[in-house]
Amino acid sequence: MRYDVLNRGHDRVAGRPGARPGAEGPGESASGVADNVADEGTGQDARSGRNGQGGGRNEQGGRTGRDGGHGRQAQPSQNGVPGSAPGVQSIDRAMALLSVFSTARPVVGVSELARATGLARGTAHRLVTALVSHGLLTQVPETTSYCLGPRLLGLADVARQQISLEAQAGPVMAWLRDRSSETVGLHILDDLPSRRTIAQAESPHALRRTYTDLGSPRPPYQGAPGKLLLAFADERLRRRVLDGPLPTADGGEELEPAALAAELASIREDGFALSLEERVPGVVAMAVPVRDHRGAVAAALSISIPSVRAGRDELLALVPLAREAGGRLSARLGHTAGTPRGRADGSQGDVVQADVVQADGSQADMAQGDVSGGGTGEEP
């Protein structure tokens, strides 16, 4: 795949030999020349009579940008985006092929790739060959099928260094804080197991919830974020908590294991947890899950409010907003509609049916957004 051709094609528009600024040749436009450059070929000068949609074969036809053919217009290629640059179209198609692979479908043949993306088999085969040459796909030995290639491992390591929970959470927490006007917390579950608060975005109100115990271990069954994390934790870890002592935060009678297990099951079903002055007197809270690239619940995002300003109804009204924030942060961590979700028992389930990225570049609406808006409260 020749990415440098894209740059060459655009350079020919702005600075081809003998061209004067604002003076295009007969029957051609600057945009017509640029749009006609594909991911292969030489991008030779167009003949007279070619319009902005100038001819030549498209990406499926090999070399492009040759004789335009006296006003002949290029036809959009199969599953292509009319008017889009063919080089970009090829990248969209390559991404469509890569998106077919998943933990549930790690090995795929060319025919299956073509069916899943809507591409012609010949087009899919050419793109697969190019991806193999770059190490992004590799052929399974003694078969005609392919799997993801070794070069992706190095790229994944680079991405993982930047896509850490703390680094990605700041903009989303500020966004949620600014829209709820209440304190937002980020919480994780360790192996003890304990719930730990690792970050907060404080409310602008004078009377507000402020976490003064950042990083300190707290019982996971006390409070909304801890209960949510425990609800989606591994079954063995959850059983260790239920089989152990369950003292309340106020030192009263211990919780009943059966009652707590039933509440955790409801949390898994509802997808959020509530706390009405459960752990801290005078504070109510709700929490939603944050998922990572594997679909596992990696953290809890919470909104905490003084009880004089909110009760159960007010917390429930904030659930849609908190879920939107949880989805935004999950997307920043690599979670998509096609990654595994937890089963009702908290274990990893099968892959949810994904909307495979089509060859025209269309995909799910969820996007990661700009990672540069940390702490500003702007759209994360």
Side-chain angles (χ1 to χ4, degrees):
M1 188 177 293
R2 297 277 302 278
Y3 297 100
D4 57 329
V5 177
L6 287 174
N7 293 328
R8 271 210 309 277
H10 288 282
D11 289 341
R12 295 184 68 84
V13 176
R16 64 179 182 275
R20 296 190 309 275
E24 282 88 21
E28 71 175 351
S29 67
S31 59
V33 177
D35 289 345
N36 196 49
V37 178
D39 64 335
E40 299 177 4
T42 62
Q44 296 177 13
D45 289 340
R47 303 286 191 253
S48 62
R50 190 183 69 178
N51 61 19
Q53 300 293 326
R57 288 182 297 171
N58 59 22
E59 180 273 337
Q60 292 191 54
R63 294 191 303 273
T64 63
R66 279 188 165 183
D67 193 292
H70 301 288
R72 182 180 61 185
Q73 292 190 0
Q75 298 298 317
S77 60
Q78 181 181 3
N79 291 307
V81 181
S84 65
V88 175
Q89 181 186 90
S90 296
I91 296 174
D92 289 339
R93 289 175 168 182
M95 288 306 303
L97 292 175
L98 293 174
S99 298
V100 174
F101 294 89
S102 66
T103 53
R105 186 163 52 177
V107 177
V108 189
V110 172
S111 296
E112 188 177 356
L113 286 168
R115 285 194 300 271
T117 57
L119 290 169
R121 190 182 187 282
T123 301
H125 186 269
R126 286 194 294 273
L127 289 168
V128 165
T129 300
L131 291 169
V132 169
S133 71
H134 288 286
L136 300 176
L137 289 180
T138 188
Q139 188 169 0
V140 179
E142 300 182 1
T143 75
T144 58
S145 297
Y146 296 84
C147 62
L148 295 178
R151 188 173 182 185
L152 291 172
L153 295 175
L155 295 174
D157 284 340
V158 174
R160 192 174 294 113
Q161 294 172 12
Q162 301 301 319
I163 306 177
S164 65
L165 178 61
E166 294 88 345
Q168 297 299 321
V172 177
M173 294 175 68
W175 180 88
L176 181 56
R177 183 269 318 279
D178 292 348
R179 280 153 183 78
S180 66
S181 296
E182 302 295 349
T183 295
V184 174
L186 183 67
H187 317 265
I188 60 171
L189 189 69
D190 63 22
D191 292 333
L192 292 178
S194 296
R195 186 268 295 169
R196 297 176 187 266
T197 303
I198 60 174
Q200 67 176 325
E202 291 190 56
S203 166
H205 292 297
L207 179 62
R208 62 180 181 267
R209 165 70 157 115
T210 298
Y211 289 96
T212 58
D213 57 350
L214 291 176
S216 300
R218 294 289 178 262
Y221 57 86
Q222 295 177 3
K227 289 188 298 183
L228 184 130
L229 292 168
L230 186 60
F232 287 98
D234 180 80
E235 172 64 28
R236 289 172 298 180
L237 187 148
R238 189 164 58 250
R239 179 49 54 188
R240 278 169 49 197
V241 174
L242 292 171
D243 289 345
L246 300 172
T248 58
D250 61 6
E253 294 184 6
E254 288 195 3
L255 297 176
E256 289 292 333
L260 178 58
E263 184 178 9
L264 296 178
S266 296
I267 291 171
R268 287 194 297 274
E269 182 176 352
D270 296 337
F272 66 89
L274 300 181
S275 171
L276 301 175
E277 302 186 70
E278 230 173 70
R279 203 183 76 78
V280 179
V283 174
V284 299
M286 60 86 55
V288 296
V290 174
R291 296 181 182 272
D292 62 16
H293 65 285
R294 301 167 300 162
V297 174
L301 203 58
S302 71
I303 300 177
S304 298
I305 314 173
S307 58
V308 295
R309 273 204 305 273
R312 181 181 181 84
D313 291 343
E314 287 76 15
L315 291 176
L316 290 174
L318 287 170
V319 169
L321 184 65
R323 278 179 168 160
E324 182 178 354
R328 288 170 181 253
L329 182 50
S330 297
R332 283 173 169 261
L333 298 178
H335 177 66
T336 67
T339 48
R341 293 179 181 274
R343 290 196 183 98
D345 62 358
S347 60
Q348 283 301 111
D350 296 331
V351 172
V352 178
Q353 183 63 40
D355 294 324
V356 175
V357 178
Q358 293 299 309
D360 63 359
S362 61
Q363 55 185 351
D365 290 337
M366 181 67 71
Q368 289 193 19
D370 181 11
V371 299
S372 63
T376 64
E378 298 176 355
E379 290 292 325

